Amino acid sequence: MELQLNRADYLQVGVTSQKTMKLLPASGRRATQKVVIGDQDGIVTCFGIKKSEAVPVFKTLPGQKISRLELGGALGSVQEKIFVAAGSEVRGFTKRGKQFLSFETNLTESIKAMHISGSDLFLCASYIYNHYCDCKDKNYYLSGDKISDVICLPVEKLESITPILACQDRVLRVLQDSELLYQVEVPGAPSVLTLNDGNGGESGEEILYGTTDGKIGLIHITKNLPVPKWEIFNEKKRGGVLCIDSFDIMGDGVKDLLIGRDDGSVEVYGYDSTNEPVLRYEHVLTESITSIQGGCVGKDGYDEIVLATYSGWVTGLTTEPVYKEAGPGEDLKMSQEMQNKIASLRSELEQLQFKVLKERERYQQSSQSATAVSAVPVFSVNDKFTLNRDDASYSLILEVQMAIDNVLIQSDVPVDLLDVDKNSAIVSFSVCDTEISGNFLLATYRCQANTTWMELKLRSIEGQYGTLQAYITPRIQPKTCQVRQYQIKPLSLHQRTHVIDENRPMNTLSLTGQFSFAEIHSWLVFCLPEVPEKIPVGENITFYFQNTFLDTQLECSYRKGEGVFKSDNISTISILKDVLSKEATKRKINLNISYDIIEESVGHTLKMIHPKLEYQLLLAKKVHLIDALKELQIHEGNTDFLIPEYRSILEDAEKLQEEYKKQPAHLERLYGMITDLFIDKFKFKGTNVKTKVPLLLEILDNYDQNALIKFFDTA
Amino acid sequence: MLVPIFTLKLNHKINPRMVAVGKYDGIHPCLTAATQAGKIFIHNPHTRSQRVSDNRLVQSSQDSDISLLNINQTVSCLTCGVLDPERGYDSLVVGTQTNLLAYDVHNNSDLFYKEIADGANAVVVGKLGNVTSPLALIGGNCALQGFDCEGNDRFWTVTGDNVRSLALFDFDGDGKKELLVGSEDFDIRVFKEDEIVAEMTESETITSLCPMNGSRFGYTLSNGTVGVYDRMVRSWRMKSKNLAMSIHAFDLNSDGVCELVTGWSNGKIDARTDRTGEVIFKDTFSASIAGVVEGDYRMDGKTQLICCSIDGEVRGYLPSSQQATGSLMDTSVEQELVRELSQKKQNLLLELRNYQENSKADSRVQTNEPDGQMGVIPANTQLQTALSVNMGSETQSAHVELSISTSNDTIIRAVQIFAEGIFEGESHVVHPSPQHLSGRICIPICPPKDVPVDMHIKTFVGYKSSVQFHVFELTRQLPRFSMYVQCNTASTPEPQSYVTFTISERVQRVVLWINQNFLLPEETETQSAPFQISFTSLRDGGTLLVTMKSNGEITVRTDDMDLAGEVIQSLAAFLAIEDLQVEANFPKYFEQLRKVLGQVDDSHSVHQKLTADMAEQSNIIRSVLVQAEDSRLMRDIKQMKKRYVDLYDLNRDLINSYKIRCNNHTELLNNLKFVNQAIQRAGRLRVGKPKVQVITACRDAIRSNNVNALFRIMRIGATPS
C-alpha cells in the first residue's frame, strides 16, 4: 500500500533543540491532540488546531534555552504532565499551563538529556548521569564519553529500573543503580534512543537507537546481555537521526517507525512478514527535523506525522487529502480560510515593517554618536562536522534560523572541497597567497534564496593539521557574520573503535618523560578525533582507532609519564611521533621516544591496500574503456563480436561510471598513502628516499603487488 | 502538475546542444540529433513501412525507428529548417570543424557540401534582414557566413572572437530578422545584416541564445547563468552551480506568453517566466539534458515541448490546458505563499530583536570594554575605501589597489569582493593571518579587460577575539581604463601608431570622459584645447597618449590597436556619436598582419603539396601491397618480408605527414583567426556606418587578395563607392 501524505504548516516558534515537541494525549470528547513545544528562547507553547488555524492554549515566558521536553505522570495514569529541561533546572507544567514544579538540580552543567518515568527523573549533563526519585538524588554515574541521550526501560513491565545511556564513543551503557551493568557497541555514535513501539515491545526490553551517521537499529536489552535484532544502514547517505517515534500511520494495525533526520528527511518504515523494517514513505524538508511524533492534530479522523524543525516550524504530514476533487462549495471555503490567513499575515507584516523601519532609523542615528556601540546578538548556528566512514571524507553541515547569504570557508591546511549534489550554492575559489596569509583554501559559497541548511564535503590528508573556519553571513539586517572553527587533526581519518585485531604485526612507539596524565591526554585529543576532552578516570587508559581509508589500526595506552602507541601502519606512527614531540617541545617537556619498527608490517599494510588498489585500477580501466566500446557498439550495431569481458563492461557501464564518480581521486589518495608509507619506512631507518619517489610512482602505474613489495624491500 | 505525455528511450547517446526537430517530408516531424562517432540519428516513428537506403543513410539495426547518418567527422552543430523555399520542406544542416553539409533527408541527397576554413561552431537556418532567400548561417572562428540552398556564399562578416551561439531574432521590431551572435569574448552582438546595431557585454562565454516574445531573448553562459534580455536591457538572470545546456522558448502554461525552458547539466529542466524568471515548472532526468526543442510529435495538431537527455531519454510535455491556470507544481501556491510570508515575518521579528538587543546592549556596555562575543563595535565605526594605482615592486607587478580601512581601533577580519570578470571565480577573498590583522587592508586588483566593473565589497569588521563580526556592504565602481596610470607627457616615448578623428564637442565633455574612465590621482581641470594627457599601461608598460586640438581633432596614440578601439568606442558612446570616420596607422601591427597573410598563403600551398604527397604515397602503398601479396603467393618469403617492411615505413611516413598536416592546419586556423580579428579591430576603430563599410571593404580586399588595398582601407577607411 502506498502512503500519501500532505504537508500542512501549523505554527512557527523559536529555534528548537532535539526532542522538544510532544503531542498531549487526547482528552474528553475531542479526538484531536494538542501540540506542546519548547524552544531555545525558553518558551513553552501549547496549541491545538481549529479549522486549520493554530489556537494557542498557553505560552510561558521566555527563559533559558530548553534542551528537552518530555511528558510524564503517575505510573499507570495518563501521561499528560509536561516537563521541560532548561539550563540545570527542570520545570513541570500541567496541560493547562500551570507550573507545578520547579526543580533546581545540583548539576553544574546544563541538562543535555532527560527521561521521566513516574516519579523517577533521569538527567544527563555532558558526562554525568543523575537519577532522582521525587526530586531526591538517588544514583550517579560518570560516563567515559559525552552522553547524547538517556532512556529507562519501562518500570511497569520490568519492575526494576534499567537506565541506558547513549554515549558518543559508539556504545550504549546499560546501568544498574550507580554501576555499569554492561555496554553495547553500536555501529555509529548514537544520537537518540526510544523504546520500541513506545513501550519497549512485548518484553519491555527492546530499544531503538539512531546514530549521527544515519543508522538505525533495534536492540533487545536483557538482564545480562544485549541481543541485536536488526540494523538499517544508511545506504542512501541520508543525514544523522535526530528523532524516532513508533506510530501506526499506515493504518494496518502494526506500529510503524517514524524517523526524522538532520538533513530534513522524514522516513516511515513498516515491517515485512519477517519483522524486518522496510522503507514505506519518504519526504524531504529543507531543514533538520528535531522532533517527530505520530498522532492526530489537524483534523478529527485523520492521522498524521507531526514534525518540529530546527527553525521552529511545527509541520504536519497528514493523511487528510487536499480538497482538489471536492465540490465547488467546499473548495471555496478552503481557499476562503487560506485567504483570511494570508490577509492577516499581510497586515501583520505591514505593521512589522513599519516598526522595523523606525527601529532601523534609530539604529542608523546611533551611528552618529561617539559613545554608542553597535551590538548584534549572536544568532544560533547548528553545525556538525563528521567523518564519513564510507569515503573517508569529512562532511560539514551548517544550519541557521535565517536564510544564509553566503559562507566563506578558510583553511590553513590543504583540504579538497568536494561537490555535494544537495548543495545548490555557487562556489568560487580565491587565489591564496599561502606564504603571506597562511591560507590554503579560500572559498565562497553564495547561497540561493531561502537556503537555511547546507552541506559541504571535504577531504583531508593525514599528517597535515590545522583549523578550518567557516564565516556564515545570514540574510538579515544589520548584517553580521559568525565564525565557526573546526579542527583538522593530524590523524584525521581515524575513527574510534572498541576491538582490534591482535594478530597484525604492530610497530610500537613508546614515550616516557615528565608529563602528567592530563598532558598526554590533551596531546591525544589534539592528534585524534573522537577522543573525549574530559580526562578519563583511573590511572591509565587505552583507546583503539581504525583508519577509515586503509583499515589499519592504532592502539593508544597511556598513563602519567608513559605512553605506548601501536599501529600496523608505519605512517601513523611517524605522524604521531612528529606531532607528539612537537607538542612536548612546545611545553618544554623532555620526551624519551623509542620505537620498535617491525619490517613485516610494511608488507602487511601493502597487502591490506592491495585489494583496494587493484579494484580501483580495474575500475578506472573499465571506465576508461566504456566510451570506446560504446562507439564500437554503434558502429557495428551489436556486441556479439566482443569478448565476454567487454560485453559485461558495456552491460554494467552505468553502474561502473556511478561508482567511479562516487569516489573521485580515490586512486590518487591511495598512491599518496603508499608514497607516505615508503618515505616513512625509510625515515625510521634514517635514510631519505624522496629521490626514489618517481621510481615508486612508475611502479604504481604498472601495478603489480609483488613488484611493489620487492621495491619496498630493496630500495 | 504537468507530466510527460510520452517518454522514449532511444538507446543512443545525444551530443549536447545538437538536437533539432525537422519535417523532412514537410509533414512528419523527426527528432534529429548528433551522436557518438561522427554520426547523426534521425528518429522517425511515423512512416514505418517506407524506407530508403543509400550511401549516407543507414538504418540502425537496433531500432527500426532510427536511421543513422554517417558524417565521418566530429559534428559540431546541426539544425533543421527550410533552406530551399521551392521544395518547402526542411533540410538538415550539419556543421563540422571543416565542412558544412546541407542535406535533403527525404530525397536522400546533398544540397551542398562546402569546405569552410573557419569551422562551424553554431548554425541557424532562416531569413536574415533583406536577404531574399533563406540562409544557413554559421558561426566559426571569428567569422560569420551565410549560404543559400545552392551553397552560394551570400553573407560574410567578422566578429570579435570565436562564435559559440547564434539566433535569428527581430531585435528592433521592424519585421525583419537580425542575427544574434554570442562569442567567447563574452559579448552578445546584434547584426542587422553586416552592421552591428547593438553589443552587450556579459561575464562569460555565451553558450546559447534563443528568441522569445517580442523584443525579448534568452541567453546562457558557460558559468551556469541563464537570463533574459529585453533588447539591450537585461530583465533578469540567475546563476546555478550547474551548467545550462539548452534553452528554448515555449508557452507551457498556455497564457499566450512563452516561458524560457532551460535544460541543465544535472538533468533538471525548468520553465521560467520571461519577465521575472520565476520558476513555474520543473522536472528531473537521470542524466544531463542535451537539448530542448518543440514539435508536434504525436501528429495531433498540438505542439509539445520535447526534452532530450544525453543518454537518449526523450520526454514530451503538452502545455497545460487553459482552464487549469493554477500552478504546474505539486505544492499548493497558497501554502507556498503562507510559508514565504511567515518567513518574512520571522525575518522582520529577528531584525527587530536585533535592534532591541542592540539598544539593551548599548546601555549595558556603555561603561565596560567592548567584548568580542557579542560582536560589539563602536556605533560610529566607518569604512573608508580608496582606489589607487600601485606601480608594483620587484615581487609584485603593477596593479590597481583597493584599500579599505576602519575609522577606529576595530580590525578587518576578512574582505569578500563579488565582481564579474576581474577574478577567476565570481568572488575574491582576502583573509589575513591572525598575526597580521589590522584596521587596514590593501587588495591588489588586475582587471584583465578594459570594462567598467561594479565591485560589491563585504567587509567583516570586529575585534581580534570576536566570533561574530559586523558585515559592511558597499559597492565601488572600477573605471573602464583603471589599468592605465597617468604619466608625465614629456618623458614618455611617443608611440608610432595613432588614430585621428575630429569631433564637434566641447573640450569639457572630453575631460569629463577622461575623469570618469581613468583612475587619476586628482581630477584634471583642463578647460580648453589644445591639451594632451598620457598614460602608461600597467599590463605591458605601453603608452597611451590622448591629444585634443582646438579644432576638435583628437589623436589617440598607442601601439595597442584593441585599446585604441576601446577608447574610441567608449568615447563615442559617452558623447553619443553615431558615425565616426577615423584615420589610423598601426605600422607594427600592419607589418605583423602582412606576415600572417604571407603565412596563410604558405600554409595553403603546404596544404596542397601535402595533399598531393599523400595521394602519391597511397598509390605507392597500393602497389607495394599488391607486390607483397604476389610474393606471398609465390612463396618468396624474403621478398614478401621486404615489401612489408617497406609498407611499414610508408605507413609511418604517412602518419608523420598526417601530423604535419594537422600542425599546418592548426597554424592556418590561428592565422585566419588573426586576420579576422584584424578586420574586426579595424572596424572597432570606427563607429556606425564607416565601421560597416570598413569591414565589408576589408573582406572584399581579402577575397581579391589585394593586400595593399586592405592596408589602405584599414588606414583611412573605406572609400565610399
Side-chain angles (χ1 to χ4, degrees), chain A residues 134-346:
Chain A
D134 286 323
C135 297
K136 281 192 198 70
D137 209 340
K138 278 199 77 177
N139 292 307
Y140 168 86
Y141 178 77
L142 185 64
S143 160
D145 206 336
K146 279 190 184 150
I147 304 167
S148 47
D149 206 0
V150 60
I151 204 169
C152 179
L153 295 182
V155 180
E156 308 98 296
K157 280 191 181 166
L158 300 175
E159 293 181 343
S160 68
I161 293 174
T162 318
I164 300 156
L165 308 180
C167 302
Q168 281 216 310
D169 50 355
R170 290 155 211 279
V171 290
L172 306 181
R173 292 194 159 85
V174 183
L175 305 181
Q176 189 163 43
D177 299 333
S178 296
E179 297 301 318
L180 178 69
L181 200 58
Y182 58 82
Q183 54 187 34
V184 193
E185 199 182 339
V186 290
S191 48
V192 56
L193 293 175
T194 46
L195 297 171
N196 189 25
D197 285 355
N199 56 15
E202 272 169 38
S203 62
E205 292 176 327
E206 289 172 0
I207 59 154
L208 292 161
Y209 65 85
T211 68
T212 48
D213 53 358
K215 292 169 188 131
I216 307 155
L218 177 70
I219 291 187
H220 195 136
I221 303 281
T222 68
K223 279 255 163 356
N224 318 310
L225 77 164
V227 185
K229 291 275 166 125
W230 50 255
E231 275 166 19
I232 306 171
F233 291 106
N234 187 14
E235 267 155 22
K236 282 190 181 162
K237 298 243 168 81
R238 297 275 185 225
V241 181
L242 283 181
C243 43
I244 304 178
D245 190 36
S246 296
F247 184 76
D248 180 19
I249 189 80
M250 307 281 291
D252 55 2
V254 183
K255 282 195 175 174
D256 307 304
L257 211 54
L258 315 181
I259 309 285
R261 294 179 187 267
D262 64 8
D263 65 344
S265 49
V266 181
E267 291 166 325
V268 176
Y269 287 89
Y271 289 95
D272 64 5
S273 50
T274 58
N275 252 347
E276 291 282 320
V278 189
L279 184 66
R280 290 283 161 80
Y281 176 80
E282 210 176 358
H283 186 87
V284 181
L285 268 61
T286 53
E287 48 183 331
S288 49
I289 315 291
T290 50
S291 315
I292 192 166
Q293 196 175 350
C296 173
V297 171
K299 195 161 189 188
D300 202 353
Y302 293 105
D303 281 344
E304 66 185 286
I305 303 172
V306 184
L307 313 163
T309 66
Y310 172 72
S311 73
W313 269 107
V314 181
T315 302
L317 291 174
T318 171
T319 48
E320 183 188 350
V322 186
Y323 282 114
K324 258 191 180 153
E325 306 84 12
E330 187 135 17
D331 201 271
L332 246 162
K333 208 178 112 213
M334 274 291 286
S335 60
Q336 192 63 47
E337 271 166 20
M338 255 320 188
Q339 226 110 66
N340 287 345
K341 205 170 168 184
I342 290 168
S344 75
L345 256 175
R346 276 193 202 278

Side-chain angles (χ1 to χ4, degrees), chain A residues 15-33:
Chain A
V15 175
T16 64
S17 307
Q18 188 191 1
K19 283 173 111 176
T20 51
M21 181 212 65
K22 286 279 174 189
L23 302 185
L24 288 172
S27 63
R29 291 168 291 114
R30 292 170 53 86
T32 55
Q33 294 171 275

Side-chain angles (χ1 to χ4, degrees), chain A residues 374-537:
Chain A
S374 160
V376 178
V378 173
F379 54 90
S380 74
V381 177
N382 184 16
D383 55 350
K384 193 173 113 180
F385 187 63
T386 45
L387 176 64
N388 302 329
R389 213 200 153 82
D390 310 328
D391 54 359
S393 70
Y394 274 89
S395 96
L396 171 62
I397 292 174
L398 298 171
E399 186 171 23
V400 185
Q401 187 184 8
M402 304 75 103
I404 305 175
D405 184 68
N406 70 72
V407 176
L408 165 65
I409 303 286
Q410 178 265 341
S411 164
D412 58 3
V413 263
V415 288
D416 289 331
L417 277 182
L418 308 177
D419 191 42
V420 181
D421 277 345
K422 261 184 283 181
N423 184 350
S424 63
I426 295 157
V427 60
S428 66
F429 294 95
S430 284
V431 189
C432 305
D433 208 335
T434 311
E435 273 169 32
I436 299 171
S437 55
N439 298 320
F440 275 94
L441 173 77
L442 282 175
T444 312
Y445 282 84
R446 186 164 59 84
C447 298
Q448 308 282 4
N450 296 331
T451 308
T452 57
W453 185 96
M454 70 185 280
E455 183 182 3
L456 308 172
K457 255 189 164 187
L458 52 100
R459 250 190 339 232
S460 59
I461 303 162
E462 286 215 326
Q464 313 242 26
Y465 55 100
T467 320
L468 181 88
Q469 299 193 93
Y471 292 85
I472 307 147
T473 315
R475 218 166 267 194
I476 188 167
Q477 291 298 329
K479 269 224 168 147
T480 54
C481 84
Q482 203 177 106
V483 56
R484 288 279 163 146
Q485 294 189 331
Y486 308 95
Q487 298 303 326
I488 303 210
K489 306 205 169 178
L491 293 172
S492 51
L493 300 181
H494 279 71
Q495 203 170 43
R496 272 282 288 284
T497 168
H498 291 272
V499 274
I500 58 166
D501 180 1
E502 299 283 349
N503 299 324
R504 295 187 188 172
M506 300 286 259
N507 305 294
T508 315
L509 172 76
S510 319
L511 304 176
T512 48
Q514 293 289 320
F515 49 81
S516 67
F517 189 40
E519 271 168 323
I520 185 159
H521 181 73
S522 75
W523 297 339
L524 207 70
V525 171
F526 182 80
C527 289
L528 283 149
E530 301 187 14
V531 183
E533 272 164 42
K534 200 177 65 75
I535 303 154
V537 276

